Amino acid sequence: VVEAAAGTVTNCIDFDVPATGKRPPVESLRVRLTAQAVSDRRLNLAFRFVRARVTKFFGLPLGGRRLTITLPVPGPLLSRVISFFTRKAPPQPYF
């Protein structure tokens, strides 16, 4: 899902139920990115967070319920910390 006005991209990944009928521990993932145009053909991307819809939490079933867990992506912060100590500019992901 692309929201051009907000400058965000959401990658939606849904997992199918296998032929055995047993539901997977993770039903879906939603990965949120921010995108910024640097030229007519290039976008800088920054991963922000991942939302996982789970049916089991630490191996424990949730009794048919689903739980949505939001996990921040440490990539941008980790890149800044490493670039501070190495005195190099962090690499920019692009598409």
Side-chain angles (χ1 to χ4, degrees), residues 49-52 68-72:
F49 60 84
V50 175
R51 283 196 177 132
T68 301
I69 301 171
T70 302
L71 304 167

Side-chain angles (χ1 to χ4, degrees), residues 4-87:
T8 62
V9 177
T10 304
N11 188 6
C12 303
I13 305 166
D14 294 321
F15 299 100
D16 288 335
V17 177
T20 60
K22 188 176 177 183
R23 290 185 357 201
V26 178
E27 278 189 353
S28 66
L29 294 174
R30 303 289 187 259
V31 182
R32 174 70 59 96
L33 304 108
T34 55
Q36 190 174 36
V38 290
S39 71
D40 291 341
R41 294 178 162 222
R42 196 168 279 208
L43 291 173
N44 276 347
L45 302 175
F47 291 90
R48 294 299 172 196
F49 60 84
V50 175
R51 283 196 177 132
R53 178 171 263 182
V54 297
T55 58
K56 291 183 180 180
F57 191 65
F58 290 111
L60 300 172
L62 299 173
R65 288 182 268 164
R66 295 173 186 96
L67 178 67
T68 301
I69 301 171
T70 302
L71 304 167
V73 177
L77 176 64
L78 195 58
S79 294
R80 285 187 214 134
V81 170
I82 291 170
S83 67
F84 176 77
F85 288 111
T86 60
R87 304 287 189 222

